[in-house]
Amino acid sequence: MKKTTRRSDIVDALSLPDLCRFCHADEEWVIELVEEGVLTPVGSHRGNWRFVGTSIVRAKKAGRLSRDLGINAPGLALVLELMEQRDAVRRRLARYESL
Amino acid sequence: MDFKDYYQILGVTRDADAAAIKKAFRKAARKYHPDVNTDPDAETKFKDVNEAYEVLKDPERRATYDQLWQAPQGGSRWAEPPPGWEEGFRFSGHGPQGASGYSGFFEEMFGDGMGAHFGGDSHGRIEVPIEDAYAGAARKLSLRTPAVGPDGRVTLEERVVNVNIPRGILEGQHIRVPGQGGDLFLEVNFAAHPVYRPEGKDLYMDLPVAPWEAALGGHVVLPTPDGRVDLRIPANARTGQKLRLRGKGLPGTPAGDIYATLKIINPRADTEQARALFEQMARDLAFDPRAGTGA
């Protein structure tokens, strides 16, 4: 049995190639999502893009939805927005349900 | 091991054509996709649906599968699971899952299927208590990954991975555990907590108070994951009123806050003395809770 003892860290900023590797996607697809406004990288051009926080979570979710349900980039933009609204409403509801 | 009726899972007849199978899959996938449907059973159902589609959409696999219907179901071939099929990533809160995510039935028939992650990254989920995000924690995970041996055979290799849960981790963030062949990415979910509901760096909670605490105001001592804190309740506080404990939420720069929502709890009037006190209020206070309802 092998032991891995290297230190783990939080994934907090990914470059374009790193994000592609992270969500098994190609660059073109990620760029399309940036153009749709689904992902908002920090940085002035593709070479120095950094994807942080919600963009990483969104990219992964978008990858799953695109692969499993065949949703294209504009569709993903709408679906992700509606899902985030739904989650926010659910959290609010949970807050009031206990009162 | 269970025989899986892929036609039944997708709800199609055995002579369904490719278009009908795709349509049935898309419909079921939209319904049970774990990102769409947060029901705990949805993930299992989605995996079944996905697996059924992987087999039925591929003419060769479908033909292999159809041959099984010639033999009696549940025959000796399926009595024993192949070694190791029930193992793999075992993360708390999630059932056992093959390395590829497919059932033992599938792996027996088609191997581990869709390109196992040789030398690539792997992804999983880990459930941690909220308290771990305050203090950080170390966890041991046991996982099996496919590896090619010197003889070219594929075996499942068991590894124990020490995962360091960093302080300040948030729901939905990923932890990267560096490995030899590739990294392991773990998506973090907080275990349901009896008191706190996390939202980003903030925690929400209900704070029960007595009617006189709400009316007169005062101090209550509140245990938080960050230690006990003294909370001042303003006079004439209302149910639903939100009090903020600045900086007591999840750690970070800046740290999150805790929002305590007041909930006034009435004592029961089941003793002589309690009844007398309520009766006195009823008599002496000019209070109409229904003023403004038109009653």
Side-chain angles (χ1 to χ4, degrees), chain B residues 22-58:
Chain B
K22 184 175 177 180
K23 190 168 157 188
F25 164 72
R26 290 279 205 231
K27 211 171 157 184
R30 280 196 298 273
K31 188 168 169 193
Y32 296 120
H33 198 281
D35 286 315
V36 178
N37 188 336
T38 48
D39 196 84
D41 295 336
E43 192 166 343
T44 316
K45 281 189 179 144
F46 178 73
K47 274 187 185 152
D48 282 346
V49 162
N50 212 23
E51 181 176 311
Y53 186 55
E54 284 302 329
V55 174
L56 298 186
K57 78 171 178 189
D58 181 307

PDB file of all heavy atoms in Angstrom, chain B residues 22-58:
ATOM      1  N   LYS B  22     -32.257   7.717 -27.476  1.00  0.00           N
ATOM      2  CA  LYS B  22     -31.648   9.001 -27.140  1.00  0.00           C
ATOM      3  C   LYS B  22     -32.662   9.935 -26.472  1.00  0.00           C
ATOM      4  O   LYS B  22     -32.372  10.590 -25.478  1.00  0.00           O
ATOM      5  CB  LYS B  22     -31.095   9.667 -28.412  1.00  0.00           C
ATOM      6  CG  LYS B  22     -30.364  10.958 -28.110  1.00  0.00           C
ATOM      7  CD  LYS B  22     -29.730  11.555 -29.340  1.00  0.00           C
ATOM      8  CE  LYS B  22     -29.075  12.885 -28.997  1.00  0.00           C
ATOM      9  NZ  LYS B  22     -28.453  13.505 -30.161  1.00  0.00           N
ATOM     10  N   LYS B  23     -33.859   9.939 -27.017  1.00  0.00           N
ATOM     11  CA  LYS B  23     -34.918  10.785 -26.476  1.00  0.00           C
ATOM     12  C   LYS B  23     -35.243  10.387 -25.031  1.00  0.00           C
ATOM     13  O   LYS B  23     -35.368  11.240 -24.147  1.00  0.00           O
ATOM     14  CB  LYS B  23     -36.151  10.639 -27.355  1.00  0.00           C
ATOM     15  CG  LYS B  23     -37.254  11.628 -27.078  1.00  0.00           C
ATOM     16  CD  LYS B  23     -38.265  11.539 -28.202  1.00  0.00           C
ATOM     17  CE  LYS B  23     -39.625  12.030 -27.790  1.00  0.00           C
ATOM     18  NZ  LYS B  23     -40.614  11.750 -28.843  1.00  0.00           N
ATOM     19  N   ALA B  24     -35.360   9.080 -24.810  1.00  0.00           N
ATOM     20  CA  ALA B  24     -35.674   8.591 -23.464  1.00  0.00           C
ATOM     21  C   ALA B  24     -34.553   8.938 -22.494  1.00  0.00           C
ATOM     22  O   ALA B  24     -34.793   9.330 -21.349  1.00  0.00           O
ATOM     23  CB  ALA B  24     -35.896   7.084 -23.495  1.00  0.00           C
ATOM     24  N   PHE B  25     -33.307   8.815 -22.985  1.00  0.00           N
ATOM     25  CA  PHE B  25     -32.166   9.138 -22.122  1.00  0.00           C
ATOM     26  C   PHE B  25     -32.168  10.617 -21.750  1.00  0.00           C
ATOM     27  O   PHE B  25     -32.038  10.965 -20.581  1.00  0.00           O
ATOM     28  CB  PHE B  25     -30.852   8.785 -22.810  1.00  0.00           C
ATOM     29  CG  PHE B  25     -29.658   9.435 -22.161  1.00  0.00           C
ATOM     30  CD1 PHE B  25     -29.213   8.992 -20.912  1.00  0.00           C
ATOM     31  CD2 PHE B  25     -29.009  10.502 -22.754  1.00  0.00           C
ATOM     32  CE1 PHE B  25     -28.137   9.611 -20.287  1.00  0.00           C
ATOM     33  CE2 PHE B  25     -27.940  11.131 -22.136  1.00  0.00           C
ATOM     34  CZ  PHE B  25     -27.499  10.684 -20.904  1.00  0.00           C
ATOM     35  N   ARG B  26     -32.336  11.486 -22.755  1.00  0.00           N
ATOM     36  CA  ARG B  26     -32.303  12.928 -22.482  1.00  0.00           C
ATOM     37  C   ARG B  26     -33.388  13.333 -21.480  1.00  0.00           C
ATOM     38  O   ARG B  26     -33.157  14.137 -20.578  1.00  0.00           O
ATOM     39  CB  ARG B  26     -32.500  13.720 -23.771  1.00  0.00           C
ATOM     40  CG  ARG B  26     -31.326  13.641 -24.707  1.00  0.00           C
ATOM     41  CD  ARG B  26     -30.237  14.617 -24.291  1.00  0.00           C
ATOM     42  NE  ARG B  26     -29.422  14.989 -25.418  1.00  0.00           N
ATOM     43  CZ  ARG B  26     -28.093  14.933 -25.449  1.00  0.00           C
ATOM     44  NH1 ARG B  26     -27.430  14.539 -24.387  1.00  0.00           N
ATOM     45  NH2 ARG B  26     -27.434  15.298 -26.527  1.00  0.00           N
ATOM     46  N   LYS B  27     -34.543  12.745 -21.656  1.00  0.00           N
ATOM     47  CA  LYS B  27     -35.663  13.064 -20.782  1.00  0.00           C
ATOM     48  C   LYS B  27     -35.352  12.656 -19.334  1.00  0.00           C
ATOM     49  O   LYS B  27     -35.526  13.437 -18.397  1.00  0.00           O
ATOM     50  CB  LYS B  27     -36.900  12.314 -21.277  1.00  0.00           C
ATOM     51  CG  LYS B  27     -38.188  13.046 -21.017  1.00  0.00           C
ATOM     52  CD  LYS B  27     -39.327  12.361 -21.729  1.00  0.00           C
ATOM     53  CE  LYS B  27     -40.638  12.706 -21.044  1.00  0.00           C
ATOM     54  NZ  LYS B  27     -41.766  12.005 -21.638  1.00  0.00           N
ATOM     55  N   ALA B  28     -34.856  11.425 -19.184  1.00  0.00           N
ATOM     56  CA  ALA B  28     -34.530  10.930 -17.843  1.00  0.00           C
ATOM     57  C   ALA B  28     -33.345  11.694 -17.269  1.00  0.00           C
ATOM     58  O   ALA B  28     -33.302  11.977 -16.065  1.00  0.00           O
ATOM     59  CB  ALA B  28     -34.237   9.438 -17.896  1.00  0.00           C
ATOM     60  N   ALA B  29     -32.377  12.023 -18.123  1.00  0.00           N
ATOM     61  CA  ALA B  29     -31.175  12.719 -17.641  1.00  0.00           C
ATOM     62  C   ALA B  29     -31.540  14.111 -17.115  1.00  0.00           C
ATOM     63  O   ALA B  29     -31.021  14.549 -16.093  1.00  0.00           O
ATOM     64  CB  ALA B  29     -30.138  12.832 -18.760  1.00  0.00           C
ATOM     65  N   ARG B  30     -32.459  14.792 -17.799  1.00  0.00           N
ATOM     66  CA  ARG B  30     -32.881  16.112 -17.317  1.00  0.00           C
ATOM     67  C   ARG B  30     -33.577  15.996 -15.963  1.00  0.00           C
ATOM     68  O   ARG B  30     -33.452  16.848 -15.109  1.00  0.00           O
ATOM     69  CB  ARG B  30     -33.835  16.768 -18.318  1.00  0.00           C
ATOM     70  CG  ARG B  30     -33.149  17.407 -19.494  1.00  0.00           C
ATOM     71  CD  ARG B  30     -34.086  18.351 -20.226  1.00  0.00           C
ATOM     72  NE  ARG B  30     -35.245  17.669 -20.777  1.00  0.00           N
ATOM     73  CZ  ARG B  30     -35.281  17.095 -21.973  1.00  0.00           C
ATOM     74  NH1 ARG B  30     -34.214  17.110 -22.735  1.00  0.00           N
ATOM     75  NH2 ARG B  30     -36.351  16.491 -22.404  1.00  0.00           N
ATOM     76  N   LYS B  31     -34.311  14.913 -15.802  1.00  0.00           N
ATOM     77  CA  LYS B  31     -35.074  14.723 -14.565  1.00  0.00           C
ATOM     78  C   LYS B  31     -34.168  14.376 -13.378  1.00  0.00           C
ATOM     79  O   LYS B  31     -34.363  14.878 -12.279  1.00  0.00           O
ATOM     80  CB  LYS B  31     -36.097  13.617 -14.783  1.00  0.00           C
ATOM     81  CG  LYS B  31     -37.076  13.452 -13.653  1.00  0.00           C
ATOM     82  CD  LYS B  31     -38.221  12.547 -14.059  1.00  0.00           C
ATOM     83  CE  LYS B  31     -39.056  12.169 -12.861  1.00  0.00           C
ATOM     84  NZ  LYS B  31     -39.965  11.067 -13.165  1.00  0.00           N
ATOM     85  N   TYR B  32     -33.181  13.495 -13.638  1.00  0.00           N
ATOM     86  CA  TYR B  32     -32.395  12.975 -12.518  1.00  0.00           C
ATOM     87  C   TYR B  32     -30.990  13.541 -12.409  1.00  0.00           C
ATOM     88  O   TYR B  32     -30.225  13.125 -11.548  1.00  0.00           O
ATOM     89  CB  TYR B  32     -32.291  11.448 -12.625  1.00  0.00           C
ATOM     90  CG  TYR B  32     -33.626  10.752 -12.500  1.00  0.00           C
ATOM     91  CD1 TYR B  32     -34.126   9.962 -13.526  1.00  0.00           C
ATOM     92  CD2 TYR B  32     -34.384  10.897 -11.343  1.00  0.00           C
ATOM     93  CE1 TYR B  32     -35.353   9.322 -13.416  1.00  0.00           C
ATOM     94  CE2 TYR B  32     -35.607  10.273 -11.223  1.00  0.00           C
ATOM     95  CZ  TYR B  32     -36.090   9.487 -12.257  1.00  0.00           C
ATOM     96  OH  TYR B  32     -37.293   8.868 -12.132  1.00  0.00           O
ATOM     97  N   HIS B  33     -30.612  14.451 -13.294  1.00  0.00           N
ATOM     98  CA  HIS B  33     -29.245  14.961 -13.228  1.00  0.00           C
ATOM     99  C   HIS B  33     -28.976  15.552 -11.843  1.00  0.00           C
ATOM    100  O   HIS B  33     -29.746  16.377 -11.358  1.00  0.00           O
ATOM    101  CB  HIS B  33     -29.038  16.032 -14.303  1.00  0.00           C
ATOM    102  CG  HIS B  33     -27.588  16.294 -14.576  1.00  0.00           C
ATOM    103  ND1 HIS B  33     -26.812  17.082 -13.761  1.00  0.00           N
ATOM    104  CD2 HIS B  33     -26.766  15.823 -15.540  1.00  0.00           C
ATOM    105  CE1 HIS B  33     -25.576  17.102 -14.237  1.00  0.00           C
ATOM    106  NE2 HIS B  33     -25.525  16.344 -15.313  1.00  0.00           N
ATOM    107  N   PRO B  34     -27.864  15.125 -11.206  1.00  0.00           N
ATOM    108  CA  PRO B  34     -27.623  15.566  -9.828  1.00  0.00           C
ATOM    109  C   PRO B  34     -27.485  17.082  -9.683  1.00  0.00           C
ATOM    110  O   PRO B  34     -27.695  17.612  -8.598  1.00  0.00           O
ATOM    111  CB  PRO B  34     -26.311  14.877  -9.453  1.00  0.00           C
ATOM    112  CG  PRO B  34     -26.072  13.841 -10.472  1.00  0.00           C
ATOM    113  CD  PRO B  34     -26.852  14.187 -11.692  1.00  0.00           C
ATOM    114  N   ASP B  35     -27.139  17.773 -10.763  1.00  0.00           N
ATOM    115  CA  ASP B  35     -27.085  19.233 -10.664  1.00  0.00           C
ATOM    116  C   ASP B  35     -28.476  19.852 -10.703  1.00  0.00           C
ATOM    117  O   ASP B  35     -28.688  20.958 -10.234  1.00  0.00           O
ATOM    118  CB  ASP B  35     -26.260  19.817 -11.817  1.00  0.00           C
ATOM    119  CG  ASP B  35     -24.767  19.571 -11.608  1.00  0.00           C
ATOM    120  OD1 ASP B  35     -24.300  19.796 -10.481  1.00  0.00           O
ATOM    121  OD2 ASP B  35     -24.099  19.142 -12.559  1.00  0.00           O
ATOM    122  N   VAL B  36     -29.410  19.127 -11.287  1.00  0.00           N
ATOM    123  CA  VAL B  36     -30.767  19.644 -11.430  1.00  0.00           C
ATOM    124  C   VAL B  36     -31.646  19.188 -10.273  1.00  0.00           C
ATOM    125  O   VAL B  36     -32.374  19.970  -9.677  1.00  0.00           O
ATOM    126  CB  VAL B  36     -31.385  19.150 -12.765  1.00  0.00           C
ATOM    127  CG1 VAL B  36     -32.814  19.649 -12.915  1.00  0.00           C
ATOM    128  CG2 VAL B  36     -30.537  19.591 -13.947  1.00  0.00           C
ATOM    129  N   ASN B  37     -31.546  17.901  -9.970  1.00  0.00           N
ATOM    130  CA  ASN B  37     -32.389  17.276  -8.963  1.00  0.00           C
ATOM    131  C   ASN B  37     -31.558  17.022  -7.709  1.00  0.00           C
ATOM    132  O   ASN B  37     -30.613  16.235  -7.730  1.00  0.00           O
ATOM    133  CB  ASN B  37     -32.915  15.953  -9.534  1.00  0.00           C
ATOM    134  CG  ASN B  37     -33.962  15.306  -8.656  1.00  0.00           C
ATOM    135  OD1 ASN B  37     -34.008  15.556  -7.454  1.00  0.00           O
ATOM    136  ND2 ASN B  37     -34.779  14.476  -9.254  1.00  0.00           N
ATOM    137  N   THR B  38     -31.903  17.701  -6.610  1.00  0.00           N
ATOM    138  CA  THR B  38     -31.075  17.578  -5.419  1.00  0.00           C
ATOM    139  C   THR B  38     -31.540  16.459  -4.494  1.00  0.00           C
ATOM    140  O   THR B  38     -30.998  16.274  -3.418  1.00  0.00           O
ATOM    141  CB  THR B  38     -31.044  18.909  -4.635  1.00  0.00           C
ATOM    142  OG1 THR B  38     -32.391  19.380  -4.509  1.00  0.00           O
ATOM    143  CG2 THR B  38     -30.240  19.943  -5.379  1.00  0.00           C
ATOM    144  N   ASP B  39     -32.541  15.705  -4.937  1.00  0.00           N
ATOM    145  CA  ASP B  39     -33.004  14.561  -4.173  1.00  0.00           C
ATOM    146  C   ASP B  39     -31.850  13.552  -4.013  1.00  0.00           C
ATOM    147  O   ASP B  39     -31.131  13.301  -4.973  1.00  0.00           O
ATOM    148  CB  ASP B  39     -34.151  13.905  -4.952  1.00  0.00           C
ATOM    149  CG  ASP B  39     -34.946  12.970  -4.083  1.00  0.00           C
ATOM    150  OD1 ASP B  39     -35.831  13.472  -3.385  1.00  0.00           O
ATOM    151  OD2 ASP B  39     -34.671  11.761  -4.103  1.00  0.00           O
ATOM    152  N   PRO B  40     -31.672  12.990  -2.795  1.00  0.00           N
ATOM    153  CA  PRO B  40     -30.533  12.091  -2.598  1.00  0.00           C
ATOM    154  C   PRO B  40     -30.549  10.865  -3.528  1.00  0.00           C
ATOM    155  O   PRO B  40     -29.491  10.328  -3.858  1.00  0.00           O
ATOM    156  CB  PRO B  40     -30.649  11.653  -1.137  1.00  0.00           C
ATOM    157  CG  PRO B  40     -31.605  12.588  -0.495  1.00  0.00           C
ATOM    158  CD  PRO B  40     -32.451  13.197  -1.563  1.00  0.00           C
ATOM    159  N   ASP B  41     -31.729  10.412  -3.925  1.00  0.00           N
ATOM    160  CA  ASP B  41     -31.805   9.230  -4.790  1.00  0.00           C
ATOM    161  C   ASP B  41     -31.489   9.554  -6.242  1.00  0.00           C
ATOM    162  O   ASP B  41     -31.242   8.652  -7.052  1.00  0.00           O
ATOM    163  CB  ASP B  41     -33.222   8.625  -4.763  1.00  0.00           C
ATOM    164  CG  ASP B  41     -33.562   8.102  -3.383  1.00  0.00           C
ATOM    165  OD1 ASP B  41     -32.614   7.800  -2.631  1.00  0.00           O
ATOM    166  OD2 ASP B  41     -34.757   8.009  -3.070  1.00  0.00           O
ATOM    167  N   ALA B  42     -31.516  10.833  -6.579  1.00  0.00           N
ATOM    168  CA  ALA B  42     -31.385  11.214  -7.988  1.00  0.00           C
ATOM    169  C   ALA B  42     -30.052  10.765  -8.580  1.00  0.00           C
ATOM    170  O   ALA B  42     -29.995  10.312  -9.720  1.00  0.00           O
ATOM    171  CB  ALA B  42     -31.555  12.719  -8.137  1.00  0.00           C
ATOM    172  N   GLU B  43     -28.989  10.880  -7.773  1.00  0.00           N
ATOM    173  CA  GLU B  43     -27.666  10.552  -8.291  1.00  0.00           C
ATOM    174  C   GLU B  43     -27.579   9.086  -8.713  1.00  0.00           C
ATOM    175  O   GLU B  43     -27.037   8.762  -9.764  1.00  0.00           O
ATOM    176  CB  GLU B  43     -26.603  10.879  -7.238  1.00  0.00           C
ATOM    177  CG  GLU B  43     -25.211  10.830  -7.806  1.00  0.00           C
ATOM    178  CD  GLU B  43     -24.153  11.462  -6.901  1.00  0.00           C
ATOM    179  OE1 GLU B  43     -24.518  12.215  -5.984  1.00  0.00           O
ATOM    180  OE2 GLU B  43     -22.972  11.178  -7.133  1.00  0.00           O
ATOM    181  N   THR B  44     -28.146   8.203  -7.880  1.00  0.00           N
ATOM    182  CA  THR B  44     -28.151   6.770  -8.209  1.00  0.00           C
ATOM    183  C   THR B  44     -28.958   6.526  -9.475  1.00  0.00           C
ATOM    184  O   THR B  44     -28.539   5.782 -10.364  1.00  0.00           O
ATOM    185  CB  THR B  44     -28.797   5.976  -7.054  1.00  0.00           C
ATOM    186  OG1 THR B  44     -28.280   6.474  -5.828  1.00  0.00           O
ATOM    187  CG2 THR B  44     -28.495   4.505  -7.178  1.00  0.00           C
ATOM    188  N   LYS B  45     -30.114   7.163  -9.547  1.00  0.00           N
ATOM    189  CA  LYS B  45     -30.966   6.982 -10.721  1.00  0.00           C
ATOM    190  C   LYS B  45     -30.262   7.492 -11.966  1.00  0.00           C
ATOM    191  O   LYS B  45     -30.323   6.873 -13.023  1.00  0.00           O
ATOM    192  CB  LYS B  45     -32.295   7.718 -10.531  1.00  0.00           C
ATOM    193  CG  LYS B  45     -33.252   6.949  -9.655  1.00  0.00           C
ATOM    194  CD  LYS B  45     -34.631   7.577  -9.658  1.00  0.00           C
ATOM    195  CE  LYS B  45     -35.589   6.780  -8.794  1.00  0.00           C
ATOM    196  NZ  LYS B  45     -36.541   7.627  -8.079  1.00  0.00           N
ATOM    197  N   PHE B  46     -29.592   8.642 -11.824  1.00  0.00           N
ATOM    198  CA  PHE B  46     -28.894   9.208 -12.975  1.00  0.00           C
ATOM    199  C   PHE B  46     -27.791   8.267 -13.452  1.00  0.00           C
ATOM    200  O   PHE B  46     -27.596   8.070 -14.651  1.00  0.00           O
ATOM    201  CB  PHE B  46     -28.309  10.576 -12.629  1.00  0.00           C
ATOM    202  CG  PHE B  46     -27.552  11.176 -13.771  1.00  0.00           C
ATOM    203  CD1 PHE B  46     -28.225  11.669 -14.873  1.00  0.00           C
ATOM    204  CD2 PHE B  46     -26.168  11.201 -13.775  1.00  0.00           C
ATOM    205  CE1 PHE B  46     -27.535  12.196 -15.953  1.00  0.00           C
ATOM    206  CE2 PHE B  46     -25.465  11.726 -14.853  1.00  0.00           C
ATOM    207  CZ  PHE B  46     -26.157  12.227 -15.940  1.00  0.00           C
ATOM    208  N   LYS B  47     -27.067   7.671 -12.505  1.00  0.00           N
ATOM    209  CA  LYS B  47     -25.991   6.744 -12.880  1.00  0.00           C
ATOM    210  C   LYS B  47     -26.551   5.557 -13.650  1.00  0.00           C
ATOM    211  O   LYS B  47     -25.959   5.095 -14.624  1.00  0.00           O
ATOM    212  CB  LYS B  47     -25.250   6.258 -11.635  1.00  0.00           C
ATOM    213  CG  LYS B  47     -24.165   7.208 -11.239  1.00  0.00           C
ATOM    214  CD  LYS B  47     -23.322   6.646 -10.115  1.00  0.00           C
ATOM    215  CE  LYS B  47     -22.311   7.693  -9.676  1.00  0.00           C
ATOM    216  NZ  LYS B  47     -21.928   7.544  -8.294  1.00  0.00           N
ATOM    217  N   ASP B  48     -27.679   5.047 -13.183  1.00  0.00           N
ATOM    218  CA  ASP B  48     -28.320   3.918 -13.876  1.00  0.00           C
ATOM    219  C   ASP B  48     -28.707   4.301 -15.298  1.00  0.00           C
ATOM    220  O   ASP B  48     -28.467   3.551 -16.247  1.00  0.00           O
ATOM    221  CB  ASP B  48     -29.587   3.479 -13.120  1.00  0.00           C
ATOM    222  CG  ASP B  48     -29.247   2.641 -11.892  1.00  0.00           C
ATOM    223  OD1 ASP B  48     -28.081   2.197 -11.789  1.00  0.00           O
ATOM    224  OD2 ASP B  48     -30.138   2.431 -11.049  1.00  0.00           O
ATOM    225  N   VAL B  49     -29.317   5.478 -15.410  1.00  0.00           N
ATOM    226  CA  VAL B  49     -29.786   5.951 -16.709  1.00  0.00           C
ATOM    227  C   VAL B  49     -28.602   6.145 -17.665  1.00  0.00           C
ATOM    228  O   VAL B  49     -28.625   5.750 -18.821  1.00  0.00           O
ATOM    229  CB  VAL B  49     -30.558   7.277 -16.512  1.00  0.00           C
ATOM    230  CG1 VAL B  49     -30.702   8.036 -17.809  1.00  0.00           C
ATOM    231  CG2 VAL B  49     -31.927   7.009 -15.894  1.00  0.00           C
ATOM    232  N   ASN B  50     -27.540   6.746 -17.129  1.00  0.00           N
ATOM    233  CA  ASN B  50     -26.340   7.001 -17.906  1.00  0.00           C
ATOM    234  C   ASN B  50     -25.711   5.704 -18.394  1.00  0.00           C
ATOM    235  O   ASN B  50     -25.309   5.573 -19.549  1.00  0.00           O
ATOM    236  CB  ASN B  50     -25.358   7.742 -16.993  1.00  0.00           C
ATOM    237  CG  ASN B  50     -24.486   8.705 -17.752  1.00  0.00           C
ATOM    238  OD1 ASN B  50     -24.842   9.145 -18.842  1.00  0.00           O
ATOM    239  ND2 ASN B  50     -23.342   9.019 -17.191  1.00  0.00           N
ATOM    240  N   GLU B  51     -25.655   4.745 -17.474  1.00  0.00           N
ATOM    241  CA  GLU B  51     -25.059   3.446 -17.802  1.00  0.00           C
ATOM    242  C   GLU B  51     -25.896   2.731 -18.865  1.00  0.00           C
ATOM    243  O   GLU B  51     -25.360   2.171 -19.822  1.00  0.00           O
ATOM    244  CB  GLU B  51     -24.962   2.617 -16.523  1.00  0.00           C
ATOM    245  CG  GLU B  51     -24.336   1.262 -16.730  1.00  0.00           C
ATOM    246  CD  GLU B  51     -24.171   0.521 -15.404  1.00  0.00           C
ATOM    247  OE1 GLU B  51     -23.643   1.132 -14.448  1.00  0.00           O
ATOM    248  OE2 GLU B  51     -24.576  -0.643 -15.327  1.00  0.00           O
ATOM    249  N   ALA B  52     -27.204   2.780 -18.686  1.00  0.00           N
ATOM    250  CA  ALA B  52     -28.098   2.144 -19.656  1.00  0.00           C
ATOM    251  C   ALA B  52     -27.878   2.748 -21.042  1.00  0.00           C
ATOM    252  O   ALA B  52     -27.809   2.040 -22.053  1.00  0.00           O
ATOM    253  CB  ALA B  52     -29.555   2.330 -19.221  1.00  0.00           C
ATOM    254  N   TYR B  53     -27.707   4.076 -21.066  1.00  0.00           N
ATOM    255  CA  TYR B  53     -27.517   4.749 -22.360  1.00  0.00           C
ATOM    256  C   TYR B  53     -26.162   4.397 -22.971  1.00  0.00           C
ATOM    257  O   TYR B  53     -26.060   4.185 -24.182  1.00  0.00           O
ATOM    258  CB  TYR B  53     -27.651   6.260 -22.176  1.00  0.00           C
ATOM    259  CG  TYR B  53     -27.616   7.044 -23.464  1.00  0.00           C
ATOM    260  CD1 TYR B  53     -28.503   6.745 -24.499  1.00  0.00           C
ATOM    261  CD2 TYR B  53     -26.695   8.071 -23.660  1.00  0.00           C
ATOM    262  CE1 TYR B  53     -28.474   7.459 -25.694  1.00  0.00           C
ATOM    263  CE2 TYR B  53     -26.662   8.793 -24.847  1.00  0.00           C
ATOM    264  CZ  TYR B  53     -27.555   8.481 -25.859  1.00  0.00           C
ATOM    265  OH  TYR B  53     -27.522   9.190 -27.038  1.00  0.00           O
ATOM    266  N   GLU B  54     -25.116   4.313 -22.126  1.00  0.00           N
ATOM    267  CA  GLU B  54     -23.788   3.948 -22.627  1.00  0.00           C
ATOM    268  C   GLU B  54     -23.835   2.606 -23.356  1.00  0.00           C
ATOM    269  O   GLU B  54     -23.110   2.376 -24.316  1.00  0.00           O
ATOM    270  CB  GLU B  54     -22.771   3.863 -21.475  1.00  0.00           C
ATOM    271  CG  GLU B  54     -22.295   5.195 -20.940  1.00  0.00           C
ATOM    272  CD  GLU B  54     -21.640   6.082 -21.995  1.00  0.00           C
ATOM    273  OE1 GLU B  54     -21.020   5.542 -22.934  1.00  0.00           O
ATOM    274  OE2 GLU B  54     -21.789   7.311 -21.898  1.00  0.00           O
ATOM    275  N   VAL B  55     -24.679   1.719 -22.865  1.00  0.00           N
ATOM    276  CA  VAL B  55     -24.768   0.390 -23.475  1.00  0.00           C
ATOM    277  C   VAL B  55     -25.690   0.419 -24.699  1.00  0.00           C
ATOM    278  O   VAL B  55     -25.315  -0.044 -25.778  1.00  0.00           O
ATOM    279  CB  VAL B  55     -25.275  -0.653 -22.453  1.00  0.00           C
ATOM    280  CG1 VAL B  55     -25.509  -2.009 -23.126  1.00  0.00           C
ATOM    281  CG2 VAL B  55     -24.280  -0.790 -21.309  1.00  0.00           C
ATOM    282  N   LEU B  56     -26.864   0.992 -24.530  1.00  0.00           N
ATOM    283  CA  LEU B  56     -27.863   0.874 -25.603  1.00  0.00           C
ATOM    284  C   LEU B  56     -27.589   1.788 -26.801  1.00  0.00           C
ATOM    285  O   LEU B  56     -28.070   1.528 -27.902  1.00  0.00           O
ATOM    286  CB  LEU B  56     -29.269   1.133 -25.047  1.00  0.00           C
ATOM    287  CG  LEU B  56     -29.737   0.149 -23.964  1.00  0.00           C
ATOM    288  CD1 LEU B  56     -31.192   0.412 -23.611  1.00  0.00           C
ATOM    289  CD2 LEU B  56     -29.548  -1.298 -24.383  1.00  0.00           C
ATOM    290  N   LYS B  57     -26.790   2.852 -26.606  1.00  0.00           N
ATOM    291  CA  LYS B  57     -26.528   3.747 -27.752  1.00  0.00           C
ATOM    292  C   LYS B  57     -25.454   3.165 -28.668  1.00  0.00           C
ATOM    293  O   LYS B  57     -25.305   3.591 -29.801  1.00  0.00           O
ATOM    294  CB  LYS B  57     -26.111   5.132 -27.252  1.00  0.00           C
ATOM    295  CG  LYS B  57     -24.680   5.223 -26.774  1.00  0.00           C
ATOM    296  CD  LYS B  57     -24.276   6.662 -26.512  1.00  0.00           C
ATOM    297  CE  LYS B  57     -22.843   6.719 -25.991  1.00  0.00           C
ATOM    298  NZ  LYS B  57     -22.436   8.026 -25.516  1.00  0.00           N
ATOM    299  N   ASP B  58     -24.700   2.205 -28.143  1.00  0.00           N
ATOM    300  CA  ASP B  58     -23.585   1.642 -28.901  1.00  0.00           C
ATOM    301  C   ASP B  58     -24.023   0.289 -29.471  1.00  0.00           C
ATOM    302  O   ASP B  58     -24.294  -0.641 -28.707  1.00  0.00           O
ATOM    303  CB  ASP B  58     -22.402   1.487 -27.934  1.00  0.00           C
ATOM    304  CG  ASP B  58     -21.161   0.919 -28.612  1.00  0.00           C
ATOM    305  OD1 ASP B  58     -21.252  -0.145 -29.269  1.00  0.00           O
ATOM    306  OD2 ASP B  58     -20.099   1.534 -28.474  1.00  0.00           O
TER     307      ASP B  58
END
